[in-house]
Amino acid sequence: MTRETTTTQTSAGIDPRGPRVGAGITALLLAVVVLLGATTAGLVLLAVVAAGFLLGAVRGAQGTVQGWLFKAFVRPRLAPPVELEDPRPPRFAQLVGLVVTGVGVVLGLAGVLAAVPWAAGIAFVAAGLNAVVGLCLGCELYLLGARLRPSAR
C-alpha cells in the first residue's frame, strides 16, 4: 500500500482493506452517475454518494454503508490484517469526496446539471485509484498536510 501508517497499531486502527473495498463500491456508483450524465437521475445518485461521503467524514470510513458491507460480508472471509491503519487519513479522504460530490450536487440543484457527471468523474478517478492500486489521494493530501504543519513542540 502507498499509505503510511501515521500512528502505531492500536485498537482504534482500522483494517486498511475496508476503505479500499468501499472505494470500489463508490467507484461503481460514480461510474453509473457518469453514464447517467446531466440528468435528474444522475443528480439523485450523486446526492446519495455525497451523503455516503458525509457519513464517512463524520463517522470515519468504517461508519459508511460500504464500511458495513465490508465488515459484514468481506472481512469475515479474510485473514486478519497484517497491521492496522490510522483512521484519520481515510476520514479526511471522505471529506474530500464530500466536497467534490457536494459541489456537483449544489451546482446540479442550481440548474447546472452538466456539473453532475464532471464531479462524479473527478471523484471516480480518485475512488478508482484507491480501489484498483491502493492509492488514496485524499489520504496522501492528509499526510502532506501533516508534514507541512508546524510541529507542536
Side-chain angles (χ1 to χ4, degrees):
M1 301 258 315
T2 59
R3 279 183 253 155
E4 300 171 21
T5 303
T6 57
T7 62
T8 59
Q9 284 188 18
T10 66
S11 61
I14 61 172
D15 186 331
R17 300 168 293 187
R20 194 165 176 183
V21 168
I25 295 167
T26 301
L28 178 64
L29 293 171
L30 290 165
V32 172
V33 174
V34 171
L35 291 173
L36 289 170
T39 64
T40 303
L43 174 59
V44 169
L45 185 53
L46 186 62
V48 169
V49 172
F53 281 129
L54 176 62
L55 271 177
V58 172
R59 298 169 54 189
Q62 68 281 8
T64 63
V65 173
Q66 296 91 323
W68 177 82
L69 290 170
F70 173 76
K71 184 178 177 182
F73 299 107
V74 179
R75 177 69 187 90
R77 291 164 176 73
L78 301 175
V82 175
E83 65 181 36
L84 299 176
E85 177 179 42
D86 181 352
R88 293 174 297 178
R91 176 177 267 173
F92 181 79
Q94 294 287 310
L95 178 62
V96 173
L98 173 60
V99 170
V100 172
T101 57
V103 166
V105 169
V106 169
L107 288 173
L109 290 172
V112 187
L113 282 175
V116 170
W118 278 98
I122 292 166
F124 171 80
V125 169
L129 280 172
N130 192 358
V132 175
V133 297
L135 175 61
C136 175
L137 296 177
C139 299
E140 294 299 327
L141 284 173
Y142 177 89
L143 295 172
L144 178 64
R147 284 187 214 110
L148 294 177
R149 260 183 254 135
S151 63
R153 291 183 187 182

